[in-house]
Amino acid sequence: MKTMLVLFCMALIARQAVALAVNDLAPDFNAPSTSGETIRLSGLKGSWVVLYFYPKAFTPGCTKESCSLRDGYAYVQKQGAKILGVSLDDIETQTRFKKEYALPFDLISDSKKEISKAYGTLGAMAAYSERKTFIISPDGKIAHIFDKVNVDDHDAEVVAMLEKLKAGK
């Protein structure tokens, strides 16, 4: 019984995540990426950033979502945006995932769970990051949040939203 109570409390603590909203300053981070470089979000200021969180590399939904963004990458770039994928996977797994699916953008390892906590995407019992995408404006603020992601057509969702945001609608 005591073990169940501890597990329940851990799950509640993990779920008490930061609730970010549109116009909030995007939390900065410093994390290892598949480029071999450390990426700092504040170093991308001046560019649109598509920051997508996914539960686990090589799983069906995460693979579909990542490949959708890969397939629409040129259109996202035409909007002046950079794509970054984040999961709790270690950098070696992220690198294999990127290579196997020829992903043209960097993936970030959030194995310390700090980025997912900051963005409020840490899942039950802190075992994974929930699927959510943030579009961050050039001034470093959250411009849009996709709480529900269509893994098959996420590229089209992202491009349409970038066009809308850039047009000021």
Side-chain angles (χ1 to χ4, degrees), residues 3 22 27 31-32 46 53 57-58 66-67 75-76 78 90-91 104 106 133 135 148 157 169:
T3 303
V22 170
F53 290 82
F58 296 105
S66 297
C67 289
Y75 298 106
V76 173
K78 282 183 183 177
D90 60 38
I91 197 65
D106 282 323
T133 298
I135 295 181
K148 301 285 185 204
E157 293 176 320
K169 296 180 183 175

Side-chain angles (χ1 to χ4, degrees), residues 31-39 91 95 98 106-107:
S33 76
T34 52
S35 68
E37 303 289 323
T38 298
I39 292 182
I91 197 65
T95 300
K98 176 181 169 124
D106 282 323
L107 302 178

Side-chain angles (χ1 to χ4, degrees), residues 9-28:
C9 290
M10 286 174 56
L12 281 178
I13 290 168
R15 299 295 294 165
Q16 291 177 352
V18 177
L20 294 175
V22 170
N23 292 321
D24 285 351
L25 191 61
D28 197 13

Side-chain angles (χ1 to χ4, degrees), residues 25 31 44 50 55 58 75 77 82 89 98 105 108 124 126 128-129 143 149:
L25 191 61
L44 300 174
V50 176
F58 296 105
Y75 298 106
Q77 280 189 306
K82 299 177 184 309
D89 294 303
K98 176 181 169 124
F105 44 81
I108 294 172
Y128 60 92
S129 190
V149 172

Side-chain angles (χ1 to χ4, degrees), residues 87-143:
S87 77
L88 303 184
D89 294 303
D90 60 38
I91 197 65
E92 293 81 15
T93 302
Q94 294 283 55
T95 300
R96 284 194 334 269
F97 187 54
K98 176 181 169 124
K99 183 178 180 184
E100 181 153 336
Y101 293 101
L103 303 177
F105 44 81
D106 282 323
L107 302 178
I108 294 172
S109 173
D110 186 24
S111 59
K112 294 180 182 176
K113 304 175 183 179
E114 294 169 350
I115 304 168
S116 296
K117 283 180 190 171
Y119 280 81
T121 64
L122 203 54
M125 298 182 60
Y128 60 92
S129 190
E130 296 174 342
R131 188 179 320 281
K132 191 178 274 199
T133 298
F134 296 84
I135 295 181
I136 301 167
S137 66
D139 64 358
K141 292 184 178 178
I142 296 172

